[in-house]
Amino acid sequence: MLHFEESDKFTEREKVALQYTSAIVWNADLADDALWEKLYEHFTIPEIVELGFFVALTLGQQRWIKTLGIRHGEVLGDTTAGLKSTGEAVR
């Protein structure tokens, strides 16, 4: 994913979505006029809003989970739902 722009595994639309994601997550300065032009070329305004919302929501969820001290593969105590596929809590 670090070199998605040079990869032939992604469509141009997917690369633009990943550039937008990078701007939201890492550096807002990446959202220059050229990126907005590409976004409008590949996405409708509602799609751009939805993609940005999804990225922001996912990023926020991940930060919140980290803040709670939940590690990958763990579930919350006394539940069978969570991040661990086996349903057992790691204590």
Side-chain angles (χ1 to χ4, degrees), residues 45-89:
I45 291 173
E47 289 173 328
I48 294 169
V49 171
E50 186 174 352
L51 178 59
F53 176 81
F54 180 77
V55 170
L57 180 64
T58 302
L59 178 63
Q61 288 171 333
Q62 294 304 312
R63 297 297 301 159
W64 181 52
I65 287 169
K66 187 171 184 168
T67 300
L68 294 175
I70 300 171
R71 296 180 308 239
H72 182 72
E74 289 183 335
V75 296
L76 297 175
D78 301 328
T79 68
T80 58
L83 302 174
K84 188 173 174 107
S85 60
T86 63
E88 292 193 27

Side-chain angles (χ1 to χ4, degrees), residues 1-11 14-15 18-19 22 26:
M1 294 293 291
L2 294 176
H3 304 286
F4 67 86
E5 293 174 312
E6 296 87 33
S7 175
D8 58 357
K9 296 184 189 252
F10 298 100
T11 66
E14 291 168 331
K15 289 178 183 181
L18 289 169
Q19 289 171 338
S22 293
W26 303 113

Side-chain angles (χ1 to χ4, degrees), residues 13 20 36-52:
R13 187 174 197 260
Y20 185 40
W36 287 108
E37 269 186 51
K38 289 187 223 173
L39 282 165
Y40 292 132
E41 183 180 321
H42 292 279
F43 298 94
T44 65
I45 291 173
E47 289 173 328
I48 294 169
V49 171
E50 186 174 352
L51 178 59

